[in-house]
Amino acid sequence: MITNAYELIVAILSAIGVYDMILGYFQDMGMEFILKVIIVLVEIAVLLVFVLLTVMFLSWLERKMFAVVQARYGPMVTGPRGLFQPIADGIKLLSKEDIIPATADRWIFTLAPYIVFVSVLLVYIPLPFGESLIVSDLRVGLLYIIAISAVTPVSILLAGWASNNKYSLMGAIRAVAQDISYTIPLAITAIAVVVFVGSLSTVDIVNAQQGYWFGIIPKWFIFLQPLGFILFLIACIAEMGRIPFDFQESEQELVAGFFTEYSGMKFAMFFLAEYAHLFAVSGIIVTIFLGGWTGPAIPIIPIQITSLIYFIIKTYAVIFFAMWLRDTVPRVRIDQLLHIGWKIMIPLALLNLLVAAFVVTAGVI
Amino acid sequence: MAWISRNWTMIGIIKGLIVTMKHILQVGNRKTVTVQYPYERMKVAPRFRGKHAVDEDACIGCGICEVNCPNSTIQIVKYDTRWFPEFNLGMCLFCGLCVDACPMNALKMTGDYELADYTRESLVYGPERILFKKEVSK
Ligand code: SF4
Ligand code: SF4
């Protein structure tokens, strides 16, 4: 039984017939662990390339959709329909001067963008891209995701504070206030799902959603907990800091929020983190509420590939919704944001959890 | 209990989402209104006030345009044995007063709006760049 990407790579190598040869070669030298390290490095490389390509595509998609909604063209010149615009942007950012303000706290200022990016990248570890396509099936996967997401506001606060700029600091403070007030309903709605599944592992959550009710309706948790889904979606959009909750970088008031002072490579890091986060969070929504990689099996094609395709399609549907919302609605006010978070979302999330717990305890499902 | 009286249907947001979705799916007449500027251009209005042009045969070098210009853009200079106006377009506000004042109707404004340049000196448009000859219709 293959359970994660490491074993999948080993299985593929064995299927080609080279695994034993390579293993024997390393065993002769008495350094089996080096092979393990190499395979893990390959895994990381694949994940990184995937994330980078996704980020590039998402930034193009976002600009293009925004342009279409506003009756503009969007990027058009670089490549077909401007598809290579992110590459041009990346090269431009890399070749820009890396400015650190004279009064900034150099160490923290330099460190913050990398903490943001790494904390986002770590979310990908327990994310099931498909059947057995998971870096590591942690038994506390969901808890891990919520815990790692809680690192982001810290690094945002570091960035805002170290910039020594009033706009950065205001943006950082807002981001932290928002993240804290929306992580709570996020966690509570996630717990309501965990109550049904009885496990925090993301793979178990996906497996619990396999099959159909009455032969048609897929057993996704969105149908079991529509309220929970809506709350989770809103909380996720707020966590990501996207419109209508983009207080951390509200352009009209705060220049660019906590990354006002950043340029060049460090700015690129924040940019990468933003879109990598968008994909990761959409993946989590899909995993928890939209059945993850489950879908009708297609004969001949191996399940790893079909499940990956289902996962990507569903994730892009969620991303599309987030972008669609961004193109449509204006920003809410900061007091409305906290009002929605504390006075509406948290009570509703608790109610959702209560109903879920009651249903499970009463043994209705 | 103010929250009871509030509209919880979020009908406004849903209406907005429908409008943007229509744009994404290109339902109805939702053509792109911007143009790919350096490759294609919008047509300028017929009365657009761009770079000046002086009719070589009609201009008598009287200097009335120079007197009427509010920004001292115009200077009368000698060119090829006759006197013609020279425009320092860096100072011009494209008001068109010079055109109105010309007694010979020799001045007109073209639709040429791409006047950005690298130096201030190259913004001085002497007669060699301003003059045009009217086609004589027989
Ligand atoms: S352009 Fe007209 S106003 Fe100016 S010098 Fe010539 S004739 Fe006189
Ligand atoms: S358009 Fe106005 S500012 Fe320009 S040269 Fe004529 S009178 Fe002067």
Side-chain angles (χ1 to χ4, degrees):
Chain A
M1 185 64 195
I2 304 165
T3 53
N4 59 30
Y6 178 89
E7 288 166 25
L8 188 70
I9 293 176
V10 171
I12 291 173
L13 286 178
S14 316
I16 309 171
V18 291
Y19 182 67
D20 291 329
M21 202 181 80
I22 302 173
L23 187 65
Y25 178 72
F26 278 102
Q27 265 169 349
D28 284 347
M29 296 195 296
M31 290 192 283
E32 258 179 277
F33 67 94
I34 288 189
L35 181 62
K36 282 186 181 164
V37 170
I38 289 173
I39 293 180
V40 170
L41 284 180
V42 167
E43 243 176 88
I44 293 171
V46 170
L47 187 67
L48 264 180
V49 169
F50 177 81
V51 170
L52 287 178
L53 287 178
T54 310
V55 166
M56 274 161 49
F57 181 69
L58 284 183
S59 69
W60 174 82
L61 188 71
E62 169 120 65
R63 293 177 64 176
K64 209 69 186 172
M65 260 182 70
F66 212 2
V68 168
V69 167
Q70 295 180 340
R72 292 186 286 119
Y73 277 102
M76 279 299 265
V77 181
T78 42
R81 312 289 299 178
L83 196 54
F84 299 143
Q85 186 67 37
I87 300 176
D89 285 351
I91 293 170
K92 186 203 80 178
L93 281 178
L94 290 187
S95 55
K96 281 264 166 112
E97 189 189 352
D98 196 0
I99 301 169
I100 298 179
T103 50
D105 190 334
R106 293 185 72 90
W107 270 100
I108 299 178
F109 187 81
T110 316
L111 204 57
Y114 298 97
I115 301 179
V116 173
F117 184 59
V118 168
S119 70
V120 168
L121 211 55
L122 286 176
V123 173
Y124 280 82
I125 288 178
L127 197 62
F129 285 89
E131 161 80 51
S132 78
L133 285 175
I134 179 170
V135 177
S136 175
D137 176 18
L138 302 176
R139 265 180 294 171
V140 289
L142 209 52
L143 180 68
Y144 169 88
I145 288 171
I146 290 166
I148 287 289
S149 305
V151 175
T152 320
V154 177
S155 41
I156 287 174
L157 191 57
L158 287 182
W161 179 258
S163 301
N164 207 349
N165 172 325
K166 60 188 171 200
Y167 298 117
S168 303
L169 188 58
M170 277 311 294
I173 289 171
R174 284 179 173 196
V176 171
Q178 176 185 342
D179 262 356
I180 289 174
S181 39
Y182 280 84
T183 307
I184 300 169
L186 187 88
I188 296 173
T189 35
I191 289 171
V193 168
V194 172
V195 165
F196 274 102
V197 181
S199 163
L200 279 164
S201 151
T202 45
V203 172
D204 286 345
I205 292 173
V206 173
N207 283 331
Q209 298 178 67
Q210 267 170 342
Y212 297 88
W213 284 304
F214 317 118
I216 348 166
I217 310 168
K219 273 191 179 173
W220 297 350
F221 285 127
I222 179 176
F223 300 117
L224 216 53
Q225 306 186 0
L227 178 65
F229 174 72
I230 293 168
L231 291 177
F232 198 80
L233 190 67
I234 294 174
C236 278
I237 289 173
E239 268 255 323
M240 282 186 279
R242 293 180 65 80
I243 287 176
F245 303 106
D246 65 332
F247 281 96
Q248 28 188 301
E249 48 179 302
S250 34
E251 283 142 1
Q252 294 85 349
E253 304 148 33
L254 296 179
V255 191
F258 61 91
F259 51 75
T260 304
E261 294 287 357
Y262 283 89
S263 59
M265 189 60 208
K266 300 200 189 77
F267 177 78
M269 274 303 177
F270 278 119
F271 190 78
L272 271 177
E274 193 184 326
Y275 284 99
H277 197 185
L278 175 60
F279 188 87
V281 166
S282 306
I284 294 164
I285 294 173
V286 167
T287 305
I288 298 181
F289 284 101
L290 294 176
W293 43 261
T294 59
I298 302 171
I300 311 166
I301 308 172
I303 186 159
Q304 277 87 6
I305 293 173
T306 51
S307 57
L308 179 63
I309 291 171
Y310 287 135
F311 180 81
I312 299 276
I313 291 173
K314 286 176 189 173
T315 309
Y316 270 97
V318 175
I319 291 172
F320 178 82
F321 179 77
M323 289 182 174
W324 182 24
L325 199 66
R326 188 204 157 195
D327 298 343
T328 308
V329 292
R331 188 182 309 127
V332 296
R333 238 172 27 227
I334 184 83
D335 60 316
Q336 290 171 335
L337 171 99
L338 294 177
H339 172 86
I340 296 169
W342 290 99
K343 292 197 198 158
I344 301 174
M345 301 266 293
I346 291 180
L348 282 181
L350 285 171
L351 182 74
N352 185 46
L353 176 60
L354 190 74
V355 173
F358 180 78
V359 166
V360 170
T361 319
V364 179
I365 291 176
Chain B
M1 294 302 255
W3 58 274
I4 291 180
S5 61
R6 207 167 293 163
N7 183 3
W8 288 96
T9 49
M10 296 199 286
I11 212 81
I13 291 179
I14 292 167
K15 273 185 188 163
L17 284 174
I18 291 170
V19 169
T20 43
M21 188 43 112
K22 278 183 185 164
H23 271 277
I24 292 166
L25 299 178
Q26 302 279 316
V27 179
N29 183 22
R30 287 168 201 280
K31 278 221 195 72
T32 312
V33 292
T34 53
V35 296
Q36 289 288 301
Y37 164 59
Y39 309 112
E40 53 184 279
R41 276 140 220 259
M42 279 176 162
K43 251 174 74 183
V44 295
R47 289 171 61 191
F48 183 83
R49 298 204 288 251
K51 199 181 84 183
H52 303 76
V54 178
D55 188 336
E56 191 182 333
D57 298 326
C59 178
I60 51 173
C62 62
I64 290 176
C65 50
E66 178 182 6
V67 177
N68 272 285
C69 176
N71 277 14
S72 314
T73 305
I74 305 175
Q75 237 183 347
I76 301 293
V77 295
K78 189 149 196 189
Y79 174 72
D80 214 17
T81 70
R82 285 173 59 197
W83 296 86
F84 287 111
E86 177 193 79
F87 295 83
N88 181 359
L89 289 189
M91 285 149 70
C92 178
L93 58 96
F94 298 96
C95 58
L97 287 181
C98 50
V99 178
D100 295 343
C102 178
M104 305 303 291
N105 276 340
L107 251 179
K108 69 167 192 171
M109 290 176 110
T110 61
D112 189 359
Y113 51 86
E114 288 168 320
L115 301 168
D117 225 320
Y118 288 102
T119 59
R120 285 176 186 279
E121 291 72 46
S122 51
L123 283 171
V124 179
Y125 282 69
E128 71 281 356
R129 288 202 276 175
I130 291 285
L131 288 184
F132 76 101
K133 244 187 154 74
K134 221 183 210 159
E135 297 281 314
V136 186
S137 53
K138 284 169 194 148

Short mmCIF file of all heavy atoms in Angstrom, two decimals, chain B residues 52 65 68-74 87 89 91-99 107 109, ligand 2:
data_model
loop_
_atom_site.label_atom_id
_atom_site.label_comp_id
_atom_site.label_asym_id
_atom_site.label_seq_id
_atom_site.Cartn_x
_atom_site.Cartn_y
_atom_site.Cartn_z
N HIS B 52 1.15 71.88 -33.72
CA HIS B 52 0.73 72.89 -34.69
C HIS B 52 1.25 72.59 -36.08
O HIS B 52 2.23 71.86 -36.23
CB HIS B 52 1.26 74.27 -34.28
CG HIS B 52 0.84 74.68 -32.91
ND1 HIS B 52 1.42 74.15 -31.80
CD2 HIS B 52 -0.09 75.55 -32.48
CE1 HIS B 52 0.86 74.67 -30.73
NE2 HIS B 52 -0.06 75.53 -31.11
N CYS B 65 0.23 85.70 -33.83
CA CYS B 65 0.14 84.50 -33.00
C CYS B 65 1.09 84.62 -31.81
O CYS B 65 0.74 84.26 -30.68
CB CYS B 65 0.46 83.27 -33.83
SG CYS B 65 1.97 83.36 -34.79
N ASN B 68 -0.45 86.78 -29.17
CA ASN B 68 -1.63 86.22 -28.53
C ASN B 68 -1.34 85.01 -27.64
O ASN B 68 -2.20 84.62 -26.86
CB ASN B 68 -2.63 85.81 -29.60
CG ASN B 68 -3.53 86.96 -29.96
OD1 ASN B 68 -4.42 87.31 -29.20
ND2 ASN B 68 -3.25 87.59 -31.09
N CYS B 69 -0.19 84.42 -27.78
CA CYS B 69 0.07 83.21 -27.00
C CYS B 69 0.22 83.57 -25.53
O CYS B 69 1.04 84.42 -25.18
CB CYS B 69 1.34 82.55 -27.50
SG CYS B 69 1.79 81.12 -26.50
N PRO B 70 -0.55 82.97 -24.64
CA PRO B 70 -0.46 83.29 -23.21
C PRO B 70 0.82 82.78 -22.56
O PRO B 70 1.19 83.24 -21.49
CB PRO B 70 -1.69 82.61 -22.63
CG PRO B 70 -1.99 81.49 -23.55
CD PRO B 70 -1.59 81.96 -24.91
N ASN B 71 1.48 81.84 -23.17
CA ASN B 71 2.65 81.22 -22.54
C ASN B 71 3.96 81.57 -23.22
O ASN B 71 4.97 80.97 -22.93
CB ASN B 71 2.49 79.69 -22.58
CG ASN B 71 1.66 79.19 -21.45
OD1 ASN B 71 0.99 79.99 -20.80
ND2 ASN B 71 1.68 77.91 -21.21
N SER B 72 3.94 82.52 -24.11
CA SER B 72 5.15 82.89 -24.87
C SER B 72 5.79 81.66 -25.50
O SER B 72 7.01 81.48 -25.45
CB SER B 72 6.17 83.59 -23.98
OG SER B 72 5.56 84.57 -23.21
N THR B 73 4.96 80.84 -26.08
CA THR B 73 5.48 79.65 -26.72
C THR B 73 6.10 79.98 -28.06
O THR B 73 7.06 79.35 -28.49
CB THR B 73 4.31 78.67 -26.94
OG1 THR B 73 3.68 78.44 -25.71
CG2 THR B 73 4.78 77.36 -27.53
N ILE B 74 5.53 81.00 -28.69
CA ILE B 74 5.87 81.25 -30.09
C ILE B 74 6.91 82.35 -30.19
O ILE B 74 6.91 83.31 -29.43
CB ILE B 74 4.60 81.64 -30.88
CG1 ILE B 74 3.54 80.56 -30.70
CG2 ILE B 74 4.91 81.86 -32.34
CD1 ILE B 74 2.23 80.91 -31.34
N PHE B 87 7.70 77.09 -32.42
CA PHE B 87 6.92 76.71 -31.23
C PHE B 87 7.80 75.96 -30.26
O PHE B 87 8.39 74.94 -30.60
CB PHE B 87 5.74 75.82 -31.63
CG PHE B 87 4.73 76.53 -32.48
CD1 PHE B 87 4.94 76.64 -33.86
CD2 PHE B 87 3.59 77.06 -31.92
CE1 PHE B 87 4.01 77.29 -34.64
CE2 PHE B 87 2.67 77.71 -32.71
CZ PHE B 87 2.88 77.83 -34.07
N LEU B 89 7.16 73.73 -27.72
CA LEU B 89 5.98 73.00 -27.24
C LEU B 89 6.08 72.61 -25.78
O LEU B 89 5.09 72.23 -25.15
CB LEU B 89 5.72 71.77 -28.11
CG LEU B 89 5.22 72.08 -29.51
CD1 LEU B 89 4.80 70.82 -30.21
CD2 LEU B 89 4.07 73.06 -29.48
N MET B 91 6.37 74.60 -23.51
CA MET B 91 5.62 75.63 -22.79
C MET B 91 4.18 75.74 -23.26
O MET B 91 3.37 76.42 -22.65
CB MET B 91 6.32 76.98 -22.96
CG MET B 91 7.56 77.12 -22.13
SD MET B 91 8.77 78.15 -22.92
CE MET B 91 7.99 79.75 -22.78
N CYS B 92 3.85 75.08 -24.35
CA CYS B 92 2.52 75.25 -24.95
C CYS B 92 1.46 74.56 -24.09
O CYS B 92 1.70 73.48 -23.55
CB CYS B 92 2.53 74.64 -26.34
SG CYS B 92 0.95 74.71 -27.16
N LEU B 93 0.30 75.19 -23.96
CA LEU B 93 -0.77 74.52 -23.23
C LEU B 93 -1.88 74.08 -24.18
O LEU B 93 -2.95 73.70 -23.74
CB LEU B 93 -1.30 75.39 -22.10
CG LEU B 93 -1.87 76.77 -22.42
CD1 LEU B 93 -3.37 76.68 -22.57
CD2 LEU B 93 -1.53 77.73 -21.33
N PHE B 94 -1.63 74.17 -25.45
CA PHE B 94 -2.56 73.69 -26.48
C PHE B 94 -3.95 74.31 -26.32
O PHE B 94 -4.96 73.64 -26.40
CB PHE B 94 -2.64 72.16 -26.47
CG PHE B 94 -1.32 71.52 -26.78
CD1 PHE B 94 -0.48 71.09 -25.78
CD2 PHE B 94 -0.92 71.40 -28.09
CE1 PHE B 94 0.75 70.55 -26.08
CE2 PHE B 94 0.31 70.85 -28.40
CZ PHE B 94 1.15 70.42 -27.39
N CYS B 95 -3.93 75.65 -26.07
CA CYS B 95 -5.21 76.34 -25.89
C CYS B 95 -5.83 76.69 -27.22
O CYS B 95 -7.04 76.86 -27.33
CB CYS B 95 -5.00 77.61 -25.07
SG CYS B 95 -3.83 78.73 -25.84
N GLY B 96 -4.99 76.85 -28.26
CA GLY B 96 -5.54 77.16 -29.57
C GLY B 96 -5.77 78.64 -29.81
O GLY B 96 -6.34 79.01 -30.84
N LEU B 97 -5.31 79.51 -28.91
CA LEU B 97 -5.54 80.95 -29.11
C LEU B 97 -4.77 81.46 -30.32
O LEU B 97 -5.22 82.38 -31.02
CB LEU B 97 -5.12 81.73 -27.86
CG LEU B 97 -6.04 81.58 -26.66
CD1 LEU B 97 -5.53 82.41 -25.50
CD2 LEU B 97 -7.45 82.02 -27.04
N CYS B 98 -3.60 80.89 -30.55
CA CYS B 98 -2.81 81.32 -31.71
C CYS B 98 -3.55 81.02 -33.01
O CYS B 98 -3.55 81.83 -33.93
CB CYS B 98 -1.44 80.66 -31.69
SG CYS B 98 -1.52 78.87 -31.47
N VAL B 99 -4.22 79.89 -33.04
CA VAL B 99 -4.95 79.52 -34.25
C VAL B 99 -6.08 80.50 -34.50
O VAL B 99 -6.32 80.96 -35.62
CB VAL B 99 -5.50 78.08 -34.10
CG1 VAL B 99 -6.31 77.69 -35.32
CG2 VAL B 99 -4.36 77.12 -33.89
N LEU B 107 -2.50 79.03 -39.53
CA LEU B 107 -2.18 78.11 -38.44
C LEU B 107 -3.29 77.09 -38.27
O LEU B 107 -4.46 77.41 -38.40
CB LEU B 107 -2.07 78.91 -37.13
CG LEU B 107 -0.68 79.08 -36.52
CD1 LEU B 107 -0.81 79.90 -35.27
CD2 LEU B 107 -0.03 77.76 -36.22
N MET B 109 -4.07 73.10 -36.00
CA MET B 109 -3.53 72.11 -35.07
C MET B 109 -3.85 70.72 -35.58
O MET B 109 -4.97 70.43 -35.98
CB MET B 109 -4.10 72.32 -33.67
CG MET B 109 -3.56 73.60 -33.05
SD MET B 109 -4.27 73.95 -31.48
CE MET B 109 -2.90 73.66 -30.42
S1 SF4 C 2 -1.85 76.69 -28.47
FE1 SF4 C 2 -1.93 78.33 -26.93
S2 SF4 C 2 -0.06 78.04 -25.76
FE2 SF4 C 2 0.20 76.84 -27.60
S3 SF4 C 2 1.27 78.17 -29.01
FE3 SF4 C 2 -0.91 78.45 -29.41
S4 SF4 C 2 -1.52 80.17 -28.13
FE4 SF4 C 2 0.46 79.46 -27.36
#
